[in-house]
Amino acid sequence: MAFTYGFLSTHPPTQCGLATFNSALAAHLTGGGVFGGIVRVTAEGDDERPQPGVVHTWTPGGLGGWRAAATALESFDVAIVQHEYGIYPGRDGQDVLPLLRCLTVPSIVVLHTVLARPTPRQKALLEEIGAAADAIVTMTGTARDRLTAGYRVDTGKVFVIPHGAADHMRVPAQRRSRPHLLTWGLLGPGKGIEWALRALALLGGLDPPPIYTIAGKTHPKVLEHQGETYRDGLYELAARLGVSTAVRHDPVYRDQDSLSRLVRSADVVVLPYDSAEQVTSGVLIEAVAAGVPVVATSFPHAVELLSSGPGLLVPHGDPTELASAVRRVLTEPGLAGKLTGRTRGLIPTLLWPAVAARYDGLVRSLVAGRPAPAVAMLP
């Protein structure tokens, strides 16, 4: 028996982490003839043209609002809802709550953020979302622990399913003539790129000297409110530090094949994030799945995944420690292989087919617990 899947999220051509995640999960859950559809959430200025697989578009102030979106999801056996504060209409995205409450089909809410210090309103909203959902998915044990310790939720509803990753290993590693450091993802304040540039300036004496690629467009929200101020500041900082010729900006949003080639060309993925809140990082998962050593600041997901895995942790805002860790990976005999070798057995569990199978298993357990008349199965 196959179930039909409805997805509520931002979705391509919107360029954000949730859209990329939802697109990949939907593709792997609805392959092989399984039916599904996307209820796409858009913001002001998004491309509103019809997209394959999208059955309804929920726009701010659009006709029908959350009720029309809920009606579209009701035509499927299960609704999988991506949650991040602010992607849905209403203050803190509150309009997703009445939608969840009125669904009669089972619902799974996937939490991309669990704040350690939410506002009282954010805390109450997430608790009510958890109460309305049939299941809650976090992508790390850290997020689950933070959720169950800091919020009033039914712990029996909470499941940990990792963020999926593409099979980058199918692309042969293509090493460059100079050591290649890489950071990628949508760019904006908080990414900590300035610390990586300062660390690069401390890597003198390496022969040949490394090159550092900063890949990714400026985040659309940042671009809307601040323009390219952050990126321009990085250009200026690199010039002051004397490392401009070692820095390559690659401000494009890459497709999967192009991203795989880029990641597999790296000797070290550098994640110098400022945030101490980040319990889920898709870039971190993709780097681990690609078999590339990682040097990251001690944000929660990195602490969970790298402490005994394929990378080194450094303090936030410390370019000296960051440079020291990168230097170790590039020069210490056997260290890079030792780091990546620790997770060879883990990688298959992080790939999208395995992650989608876990969602499918969760869906089956939810549907099995529902009265038969509430389930419309495909033969």
Side-chain angles (χ1 to χ4, degrees):
M1 294 278 189
F3 301 108
T4 61
Y5 296 91
F7 301 88
L8 178 65
S9 177
T10 57
H11 194 73
T14 299
Q15 296 176 349
C16 71
L18 262 73
T20 302
F21 177 94
N22 190 70
S23 176
L25 180 61
H28 285 85
L29 276 175
T30 60
V34 177
F35 184 64
I38 313 296
V39 176
R40 182 183 173 216
V41 183
T42 62
E44 201 74 40
D46 278 355
D47 185 345
E48 301 287 352
R49 287 175 294 182
Q51 302 296 327
V54 174
V55 297
H56 178 74
T57 300
W58 182 7
T59 60
L63 188 65
W66 64 263
R67 291 178 178 84
T71 299
L73 290 171
E74 282 287 289
S75 62
F76 301 96
D77 293 325
V78 65
I80 299 179
V81 177
Q82 310 301 331
H83 182 265
E84 179 81 77
Y85 291 110
I87 71 164
Y88 299 105
R91 185 177 172 187
D92 290 325
Q94 65 184 15
D95 284 6
V96 74
L97 180 57
L99 176 148
L100 286 166
R101 284 174 169 165
C102 81
L103 289 178
T104 62
V105 298
S107 60
I108 298 171
V109 174
V110 184
L111 300 182
H112 291 254
T113 297
V114 181
L115 298 174
R117 292 177 292 277
T119 66
R121 184 182 182 85
Q122 289 171 330
K123 181 175 184 290
L125 179 60
L126 192 57
E127 289 172 344
E128 291 180 271
I129 287 171
D134 291 276
I136 305 165
V137 169
T138 67
M139 291 182 242
T140 64
T142 302
R144 174 201 58 206
D145 295 344
R146 181 181 289 183
L147 179 68
T148 55
Y151 298 77
R152 291 193 304 272
V153 295
D154 179 352
T155 57
K157 287 185 176 183
V158 182
F159 300 84
V160 179
I161 302 178
H163 191 297
D167 184 9
H168 299 292
M169 298 291 278
R170 63 188 171 77
V171 176
Q174 298 176 342
R175 299 303 182 218
R176 304 187 180 192
S177 58
R178 295 167 61 178
H180 184 204
L181 314 181
L182 171 66
T183 302
W184 85 91
L186 292 171
L187 192 65
K191 288 294 185 179
I193 306 297
E194 54 271 32
W195 304 115
L197 292 177
R198 290 185 172 99
L200 184 65
L202 297 174
L203 289 173
L206 291 179
D207 186 22
I211 190 164
Y212 177 39
T213 299
I214 303 166
K217 297 176 69 173
T218 298
H219 195 289
K221 296 287 187 186
V222 175
L223 196 60
E224 178 184 353
H225 297 290
Q226 303 175 24
E228 292 287 8
T229 302
Y230 182 69
R231 190 185 298 274
D232 290 343
L234 297 179
Y235 280 114
E236 293 169 7
L237 178 61
R240 288 202 307 271
L241 294 170
V243 296
S244 294
T245 58
V247 179
R248 176 176 172 264
H249 284 261
D250 183 37
V252 299
Y253 198 86
R254 291 174 174 267
D255 62 26
Q256 193 57 69
D257 287 343
S258 175
L259 179 61
S260 292
R261 289 193 296 272
L262 176 67
V263 177
R264 291 285 286 160
S265 73
D267 295 283
V268 186
V269 169
V270 182
L271 304 182
Y273 302 162
D274 290 326
S275 174
E277 288 274 9
Q278 193 158 354
V279 291
T280 302
S281 169
V283 172
L284 174 60
I285 287 287
E286 297 282 2
V288 171
V292 180
V294 180
V295 172
T297 51
S298 299
F299 59 90
H301 194 183
V303 172
E304 180 174 323
L305 194 58
L306 300 183
S307 292
S308 58
L312 301 176
L313 295 167
V314 298
H316 291 280
D318 191 332
T320 301
E321 288 295 323
L322 185 59
S324 176
V326 170
R327 187 184 293 273
R328 282 189 63 201
V329 177
L330 294 179
T331 64
E332 191 172 312
L335 178 59
K338 180 181 177 182
L339 292 173
T340 56
R342 289 173 178 169
T343 54
R344 282 201 186 93
L346 175 65
I347 289 174
T349 70
L350 301 178
L351 301 184
W352 275 114
V355 170
R358 292 179 64 174
Y359 275 94
D360 184 68
L362 176 56
V363 167
R364 291 180 182 279
S365 68
L366 291 178
V367 173
R370 286 293 186 104
V375 180
M377 291 188 179
L378 293 176

